[in-house]
Amino acid sequence: MNILLTGGAGYIGSHTAVVLSEAGHEVVVLDNFCNSKKSVLTSLQQILGKELICIDGDIRNTPLVIKILKDHQINAVIHFAGLKAVGESVQMPIEYYANNAQGTISLLEAMKSTGVKALVFSSSATVYGDPQYLPIDENHPTSATNPYGRSKLHIEEMLKDVAISDAEWKIICLRYFNPVGAHDSGLIREDPQGIPNNLMPFILKVIAGDLPVLNVYGKDYPTIDGTGVRDYIHVMDLAEGHLAALLFLSNRYGWHVINLGTGVGHSVLEMIHASEEGSGKKINFQFAPRRPGDIASCYADVKKANQDLAWVATRTLQEMCLYRPVKK
Ligand code: NAD
Ligand code: UFG
């Protein structure tokens, strides 16, 4: 199949590009590089032994998206493009709604006008808000506490309406838990600008000596050791989940929602210890007050993914926390 990856130069998109290409699909990337570097394309070429088609452009440029869908005879779209920093979304809600929600509308308009009606959407466990029960299944009530999460919820609602409006649409919404880790080559990875907000990129910078100390936010949560628990999933498992989702969509119409996680939660201290083992280095950390808006525990019920997608995350915590120095 010919597959368009919006945001395909980003962290999850680039790993998915590898998995899809290796499975024999033709991958076309559309990215405006607002949160990724063009050097990712060279790395992808090194991994795959061939050049990927990449268009430097914005999903909000509807005529451009229409042209790409036509020129490359696209069969399905995986929609990664978006802004994703929770704190930033509180400061810049207009930019978040413009990029995430308006960007998705532009993409949908382009898809409708060209008759490309198969879509995989990158959603997030953030749409479950503060969990009412664990593990979280897809029927758990949704809510949002910040503009980023609300933009994901708005998009989900829009996509559901689109799928209801026309029986030819096939749309799957994947709710990711916490993606971590990198491709074995070490050539592609999560590479945030500045000081990372998320745990694993922060830990990697402490290991590399770029940051002096990790703040562990909260030590009095009702969890195994008092620190926050999350469902960390290896990004290559997540990438393979997209391949499974495309296969699923080949013969399913309508709207589908599926969690992608491991079903197992790990605490911040467990992640620190696994990263110490994975790097052979001691990680300097200190306890700090709880981070506003954080929840104690969050992990997925993955039965639906296992059954409907015939997909299961197989990589271990050790593999997620393996340290690969940046290749210059
Ligand atoms: P990322 O920032 O690494 O990748 C997103 C890519 O989209 C970037 O390359 C960026 O340049 C591009 N982009 C952004 N706006 C664009 C636009 N208007 N037009 C074209 N390209 C644009 O993020 P990621 O971690 O790979 O996340 C991918 C998707 O998964 C996002 O939608 C994110 O909200 C969602 N998600 C991520 C996580 C996570 O923890 N990484 C968790 C849940 C959901
Ligand atoms: N944490 C620290 N120190 C840090 C960063 C994080 O102790 O410097 C802790 C947090 O308090 C939390 C855990 O590590 O207990 C995980 O935090 P992350 O920021 O890595 O991940 P979150 O689960 O808070 O949120 C992330 C994304 C959300 C997304 C969610 C689920 O930021 O947008 O995963 O996919 F919705």
Side-chain angles (χ1 to χ4, degrees), residues 84-87 123-127 146 148-149 152 175-180 195-203 213-218 221 227-232 266-269 271-272 286 288-291 293-298:
K84 63 166 185 177
V86 172
S123 191
S124 165
T126 194
V127 302
N146 56 69
Y148 166 68
K152 289 289 178 194
R175 292 180 178 156
Y176 311 152
F177 280 67
N178 290 55
V180 296
I195 298 177
N197 298 304
N198 299 116
L199 179 65
M200 282 311 290
F202 203 110
I203 286 181
V213 58
L214 168 75
N215 282 320
V216 175
Y217 298 130
Y221 284 111
T227 65
V229 163
R230 298 289 184 275
D231 186 339
Y232 297 96
H266 290 288
S267 72
V268 175
L269 292 182
M271 296 307 282
I272 293 174
Q286 63 193 15
R290 290 181 178 194
R291 192 169 61 173
D294 261 359
I295 52 179
S297 293
C298 173

Side-chain angles (χ1 to χ4, degrees), residues 57-245:
D58 199 295
I59 51 167
R60 287 166 290 178
N61 182 347
T62 316
L64 173 69
V65 183
I66 290 175
K67 183 169 166 20
I68 295 169
L69 293 172
K70 282 185 183 161
D71 286 357
H72 299 282
Q73 297 175 8
I74 297 297
N75 305 109
V77 178
I78 307 185
H79 181 29
F80 297 104
L83 302 177
K84 63 166 185 177
V86 172
E88 188 183 63
S89 78
V90 178
Q91 306 301 322
M92 303 165 54
I94 299 171
E95 286 80 355
Y96 270 68
Y97 290 120
N99 207 347
N100 295 3
Q102 208 170 305
T104 303
I105 293 172
S106 164
L107 174 66
L108 289 168
E109 283 171 345
M111 292 177 72
K112 186 181 171 192
S113 81
T114 50
V116 180
K117 294 184 178 174
L119 177 67
V120 180
F121 173 61
S122 296
S123 191
S124 165
T126 194
V127 302
Y128 294 121
D130 200 347
Q132 294 177 13
Y133 57 84
L134 291 165
I136 302 174
D137 61 27
E138 290 82 356
N139 296 319
H140 186 287
T142 54
S143 65
T145 53
N146 56 69
Y148 166 68
R150 241 182 308 280
S151 74
K152 289 289 178 194
L153 270 183
H154 289 169
I155 295 167
E156 288 199 7
E157 293 291 325
M158 287 189 318
L159 295 179
K160 206 187 318 177
D161 288 338
V162 169
I164 290 168
S165 72
D166 170 355
E168 285 181 5
W169 280 92
K170 305 165 166 186
I171 306 181
I172 185 164
C173 165
L174 299 176
R175 292 180 178 156
Y176 311 152
F177 280 67
N178 290 55
V180 296
H183 186 261
D184 275 342
S185 65
L187 289 165
I188 51 173
R189 61 179 64 225
E190 185 164 23
D191 189 12
Q193 313 287 327
I195 298 177
N197 298 304
N198 299 116
L199 179 65
M200 282 311 290
F202 203 110
I203 286 181
L204 293 174
K205 286 211 185 260
V206 174
I207 294 172
D210 297 338
L211 291 169
V213 58
L214 168 75
N215 282 320
V216 175
Y217 298 130
K219 58 174 179 179
D220 57 354
Y221 284 111
T223 61
I224 176 176
D225 56 22
T227 65
V229 163
R230 298 289 184 275
D231 186 339
Y232 297 96
I233 172 171
H234 197 292
V235 68
M236 289 303 290
D237 279 324
L238 194 72
E240 288 165 9
H242 293 76
L243 182 62

